[in-house]
């Protein structure tokens, strides 16, 4: 059923493009055409930047989840990690009086520690990823709530910090630059280094990867560690965009990010898919929600319809790719 | 004995917690609040057992929270328009069954991965219910709450009905042939197929059963309040899986006892009141829940380590 052979083939990327991502790109183009025709002020520069700005956090999480899912694992705790990092940032900046930039670096560190905890439990105690991250999903969110005493809200950040979430550089929102850097890093890891290949090999067949001398523990651990770091970065852009932090920051983001990854043609049982696909998945979700809100017919029900359509789209995409024999 | 070490240690933990509360906070055992807490926990226990059956067959269901919201809203709407209990319950259970059948058809029929199907269902149903009700609470007729009975007797009825249904499922999973089929399929689907089991039909059945249990749980939930909150069940899906895991169900299928899940669920629902009675701030609940989940599975992991290479796959 699972074949290790085809991921080592030279033209494998073209094959994958022909399957899931091409379909998704088609759906994306369709979305854009429909919303441009029927939506109000949909295809304007400002609105495009708006869509990208609001997709940044889900995008960061989705890109970081991709390698985790490649290895055949899953990380349900990224939303909670985002919440814990954000609350840690708020406390370090406001209560400990730290410089906001220093606090930002520290909160990315908090995210990294969260990722390391996930990775350590999965790799060394050998608990299935679904369970570990389900546990830390509660644990990290619980710590965020306990740190914020349930109701505390952090707000009134300095101008310079708010620039990350609402400012622009060369006409493009700052968080898009951040997202692009992270995504580029993952794409490079996928296409140009041994990392991507080994991650996927582990997901295809752990036994085979082990027997061919891949250090499974190292690669699996690194995927979770990096997911934690990126969730910490997403915490910064999130707090800066909203201008306030509560303990529920990023609640439910993990499932949105997994949806985007699945939509982007990454096989959720591991071994297949691309970072670009996951990014396209995020874009598809972002455009859908924004476009529905700008079309007079659906304006009042945009978020609800968006959810229903997301579900339908996800099942449709997977059903089509199953018929073509890909997942 | 050796095989039930996990379940027994969870049960002992629960007993220790209950014992500690008996000594330091005897007011936990005041009959009326205790009965009310038990009543609200019973529907959750039913759903947790259903989800565990899906896990046993090597699948997963994360759409239960949204299914519960739909079933409750349907029952609320029907009961509001003045129809009797028969139609209300039939509709609630029917809708639960139908949703379970949709899950089952996509997973067993088309062979789609269960995590994606139920993830999509979770979104679609949750937003569907919001689209339909616009989040407005559905007020029931005055005599609808507690089945028109006195509160205490209705609570006893709910507890007895819910627990006996749950126990019936637990018993069947252990002592009926069809119950063992779930385990056979979960531990090795290919061997089960080679042995001539109707793998697809039984997988389908496990999702239908799960949906039915959600429908029944919805009935027992609706009866507890004067109105239905269409936002009910948010985050329930992961709580159910947590209960299953604490109760000793293996997420890669085929192992675990359903009575353990009942104990696991009981342990998880005891945390919040225990914290309150012991004077710990309630916002620690989630963190402690997380610690319990991780402790329960780490013990298992350490015991088994060295016997396998696998880091664990989802499918």
């Amino acid at each position: 059923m699972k074949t290790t052979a085809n991921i080592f083939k030279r033209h494998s990327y073209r094959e994958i493009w022909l399957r899931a991502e091409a379909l998704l790109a088609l759906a994306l183009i369709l979305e854009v055409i429909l919303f441009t025709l029927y939506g109000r002020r949909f295809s304007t520069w400002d609105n495009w930047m708006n869509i990208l700005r609001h997709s940044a956090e889900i995008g960061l999480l989705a890109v970081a989840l991709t390698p985790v899912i490649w290895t055949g694992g899953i990380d349900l705790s990224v939303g909670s990690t985002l919440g814990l990092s954000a609350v840690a940032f708020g406390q370090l900046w406001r209560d400990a009086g730290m410089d906001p930039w220093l606090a930002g670096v520290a909160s990315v560190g908090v995210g990294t520690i969260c990722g390391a905890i996930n990775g350590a439990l999965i790799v060394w105690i050998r608990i299935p990823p679904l369970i570990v991250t389900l546990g830390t999903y509660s644990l990290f969110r619980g710590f965020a709530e306990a740190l914020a005493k349930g109701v505390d809200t952090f707000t009134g950040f300095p101008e310079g910090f708010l620039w990350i979430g609402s400012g622009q550089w060369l006409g493009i929102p700052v968080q898009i630059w951040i997202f692009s850097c992270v995504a580029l890093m993952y794409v490079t890891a996928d296409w140009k280094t041994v990392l991507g290949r080994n991650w996927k090999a582990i997901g295809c067949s752990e036994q085979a990867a082990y027997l061919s001398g891949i250090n499974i523990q190292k690669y699996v651990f690194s995927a979770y560690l990096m997911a934690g770091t990126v969730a910490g970065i997403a915490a910064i852009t999130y707090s800066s965009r909203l201008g306030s932090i509560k303990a529920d920051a990023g609640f439910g983001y993990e499932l949105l990010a997994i949806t985007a990854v699945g939509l982007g043609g990454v096989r959720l049982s591991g071994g297949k898919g691309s970072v670009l696909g996951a990014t396209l998945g995020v874009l598809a979700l972002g455009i859908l929600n924004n476009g529905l809100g700008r079309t007079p017919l659906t304006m009042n029900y945009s978020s609800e319809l968006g959810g229903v359509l997301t579900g339908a789209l996800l099942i449709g995409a997977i059903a089509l790719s199953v018929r073509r024999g890909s997942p | 004995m050796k095989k039930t070490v996990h379940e027994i240690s969870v049960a002992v933990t629960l007993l220790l917690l209950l014992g500690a509360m008996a000594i330091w906070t005897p007011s936990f055992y005041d009959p009326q609040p205790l009965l009310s807490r038990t009543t609200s926990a019973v529907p959750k226990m039913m759903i947790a057992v259903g989800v565990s059956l899906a896990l046993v067959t090597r699948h997963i269901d994360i759409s239960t929270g949204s299914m519960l919201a739909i079933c409750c809203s349907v029952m609320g709407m029907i009961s509001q328009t003045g129809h009797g209990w028969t139609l209300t319950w039939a509709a609630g259970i029917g809708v639960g069954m139908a949703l379970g059948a949709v899950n089952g058809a996509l997973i067993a029929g088309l062979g789609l991965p269960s995590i994606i199907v139920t993830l999509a269902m979770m979104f679609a149903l949750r937003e569907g219910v919001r689209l339909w009700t616009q989040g407005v609470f559905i007020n029931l007729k005055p005599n609808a709450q507690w089945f028109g009975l006195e509160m205490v007797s209705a609570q006893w009825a709910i507890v007895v009905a819910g627990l006996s249904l749950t126990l019936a499922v637990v018993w069947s999973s252990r002592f009926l042939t069809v119950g063992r089929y779930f385990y056979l399929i979960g531990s090795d689907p290919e061997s089960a197929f080679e042995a001539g089991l109707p793998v697809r039909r039984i997988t389908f059945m496990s999702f239908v059963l799960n949906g039915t249990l959600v429908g029944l749980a919805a009935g027992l939930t609706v009866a507890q309040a004067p109105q239905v909150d269409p936002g009910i069940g948010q985050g329930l899906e992961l709580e159910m899986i947590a209960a299953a895991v604490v109760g000793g169900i293996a997420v890669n299928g085929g192992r675990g006892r359903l009575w353990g899940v009942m104990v696991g669920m009981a342990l998880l629902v005891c945390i919040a009141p225990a914290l309150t009675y012991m004077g710990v701030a309630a916002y620690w609940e989630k963190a402690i829940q997380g610690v319990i989940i991780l402790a329960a599975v780490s013990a298992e992991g350490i015991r088994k380590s060295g016997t396998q290479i696998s880091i664990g796959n989802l499918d």
Side-chain angles (χ1 to χ4, degrees):
Chain A
M1 297 218 284
K2 287 178 184 176
T3 48
T4 354
N6 66 0
I7 66 159
F8 296 111
K9 269 193 276 174
R10 187 102 182 96
H11 56 279
S12 62
Y13 293 115
R14 227 185 102 223
E15 274 186 352
I16 291 173
W17 268 98
L18 281 176
R19 281 181 184 153
E21 287 89 337
L23 253 164
L24 185 62
L26 218 69
L28 260 173
I29 293 170
L30 201 71
E31 268 185 5
V32 173
I33 293 175
L34 279 177
F35 289 136
T36 312
L37 284 179
Y38 297 108
R40 285 189 197 146
R41 291 192 305 280
F42 174 76
S43 253
T44 60
W45 176 259
D46 282 351
N47 190 44
W48 276 107
M49 291 304 116
N50 190 25
I51 293 174
L52 292 180
R53 200 187 280 285
H54 284 270
S55 304
E57 284 90 43
I58 300 289
L60 282 168
L61 296 182
V63 162
L65 268 173
T66 306
V68 168
I69 291 173
W70 277 339
T71 65
I74 195 147
D75 191 343
L76 292 175
S77 73
V78 283
S80 301
T81 306
L82 194 162
L84 181 56
S85 299
V87 170
F89 169 80
Q91 287 218 316
L92 286 173
W93 166 73
R94 192 192 66 188
D95 301 344
M98 226 186 227
D99 178 72
W101 298 107
L102 212 59
V105 173
S107 77
V108 174
V110 170
T112 312
I113 294 171
C114 291
I117 293 174
N118 280 334
L121 287 170
I122 290 163
V123 164
W124 285 294
I125 308 196
R126 297 182 182 186
I127 315 171
L130 180 73
I131 304 187
V132 168
T133 58
L134 181 67
T136 52
Y137 159 88
S138 289
L139 186 70
F140 298 157
R141 178 70 63 197
F143 268 123
E145 281 175 5
L147 276 177
K149 307 212 169 35
V151 290
D152 207 354
T153 309
F154 303 91
T155 183
F157 302 123
E159 278 293 306
F161 180 72
L162 290 176
W163 173 75
I164 298 177
S166 49
Q168 295 184 341
W169 190 59
L170 302 180
I172 289 174
V174 180
Q175 62 261 66
I176 296 312
W177 290 107
I178 297 176
F179 168 77
S180 309
C181 288
V182 173
L184 199 67
M185 199 184 74
Y186 274 102
V187 171
T188 315
D190 179 15
W191 285 6
K192 294 289 173 199
T193 71
V194 74
L195 265 171
R197 188 195 299 203
N198 285 353
W199 276 328
K200 284 184 217 172
I202 292 170
C204 272
S205 166
E206 205 175 300
Q207 193 89 35
Y210 175 77
L211 292 176
S212 44
I214 294 175
N215 186 340
I216 293 181
Q217 300 191 326
K218 188 172 95 185
Y219 286 100
V220 171
F221 182 80
S222 68
Y224 288 92
L225 184 81
M226 286 162 74
T229 312
V230 174
I233 296 172
I236 302 294
T237 67
Y238 178 93
S239 337
S240 169
R241 177 167 63 84
L242 291 185
S244 76
I245 301 172
K246 280 193 289 188
D248 68 350
F251 183 77
Y253 274 26
E254 54 285 326
L255 293 179
L256 275 174
I258 294 169
T259 308
V261 172
L263 211 52
V266 177
R267 186 168 64 178
L268 287 200
S269 54
K272 217 173 222 177
S274 71
V275 176
L276 277 177
T279 313
L280 282 182
V282 174
L283 260 184
L285 290 188
I287 292 176
L288 186 67
N289 282 321
N290 179 288
L292 287 174
R294 285 177 179 270
T295 306
L297 188 65
T298 54
M299 208 174 246
N300 299 326
Y301 311 106
S302 61
S303 71
E304 295 92 334
L305 255 182
V308 175
L309 287 177
T310 304
L313 210 64
L314 187 58
I315 292 189
I318 302 301
L320 274 175
S321 55
V322 166
R323 298 205 77 158
R324 287 153 163 252
S326 124
Chain B
M1 171 66 203
K2 203 178 164 197
K3 284 179 186 160
T4 52
V5 160
H6 181 97
E7 286 83 350
I8 287 172
S9 48
V10 174
V12 168
T13 314
L14 177 65
L15 288 178
L16 283 178
L17 181 67
L18 292 176
M21 302 235 276
I23 297 168
W24 286 296
T25 58
S27 55
F28 175 79
Y29 290 97
D30 289 347
Q32 190 44 51
L34 187 64
L35 180 61
S36 295
R37 271 198 300 275
T38 317
T39 315
S40 60
V42 160
K44 279 189 184 178
M45 200 170 267
M46 294 168 67
I47 301 175
V49 166
V51 169
S52 305
L53 264 182
L55 285 172
V56 161
T57 50
R58 211 183 266 197
H59 285 286
I60 192 168
D61 190 342
I62 48 177
S63 64
T64 46
S66 305
M67 289 207 288
L68 183 73
I70 291 251
C71 291
C72 284
S73 305
V74 166
M75 294 183 87
M77 287 282 185
I78 290 182
S79 149
Q80 193 184 34
T81 50
H83 290 288
W85 280 110
T86 338
L87 185 65
T88 313
W89 276 77
I93 296 168
V95 168
M97 256 180 174
L99 294 176
V102 171
N103 273 340
L106 289 169
I107 292 161
L110 287 182
L112 307 187
S114 52
I115 178 136
I116 298 208
V117 169
T118 55
L119 182 67
M121 283 291 267
M122 184 193 101
F123 274 114
L125 296 178
R126 170 68 59 197
E127 298 301 333
V129 93
R130 261 181 47 196
L131 190 64
W132 173 40
T133 62
Q134 290 296 307
V136 182
F137 279 47
I138 304 161
N139 289 308
L140 300 176
K141 295 245 140 109
N143 66 343
Q145 194 188 3
W146 307 123
F147 311 110
L149 298 171
E150 223 181 306
M151 187 174 92
V152 176
S153 41
Q155 284 182 328
W156 275 111
I158 290 174
V159 171
V160 170
L163 281 186
S164 44
L165 266 167
T166 315
L167 283 172
V169 175
V170 172
W171 183 85
S172 324
S173 79
R174 187 111 179 86
F175 296 106
L176 289 191
T177 320
V178 70
R180 301 320 293 168
Y181 284 171
F182 290 128
Y183 284 84
L184 282 176
I185 290 175
S187 50
D188 194 339
E190 275 164 43
S191 309
F193 181 76
E194 296 294 333
L197 292 189
V199 174
R200 285 177 153 197
R201 205 188 315 155
I202 290 170
T203 310
F204 178 75
M205 258 178 60
S206 85
F207 281 95
V208 174
L209 181 62
N210 191 11
T212 315
L213 282 171
V214 172
L216 287 163
L220 298 184
T221 311
V222 168
Q224 293 183 33
Q227 50 195 5
V228 176
D229 172 11
I232 196 172
Q234 197 112 46
L236 187 83
E237 45 284 324
L238 294 183
E239 203 184 332
M240 294 300 105
I241 293 171
V245 163
V246 171
I249 300 287
V251 280
N252 39 19
R255 275 185 299 122
R257 286 170 167 70
L258 295 188
W259 66 264
V261 178
M262 297 178 71
V263 180
M265 190 76 241
L267 183 60
L268 288 184
V269 295
C270 276
I271 299 172
L275 289 180
T276 318
Y277 281 101
M278 289 179 179
V280 182
Y283 44 71
W284 279 102
E285 185 193 351
K286 269 219 176 109
I288 292 175
Q289 238 178 37
V291 169
I292 291 184
I293 298 172
L294 289 176
V297 292
S298 300
E300 183 102 336
I302 289 168
R303 230 162 18 102
K304 282 203 318 249
S305 70
T307 59
Q308 66 189 106
I309 330 168
S310 178
I311 293 177
N313 255 329
L314 246 185
D315 61 341

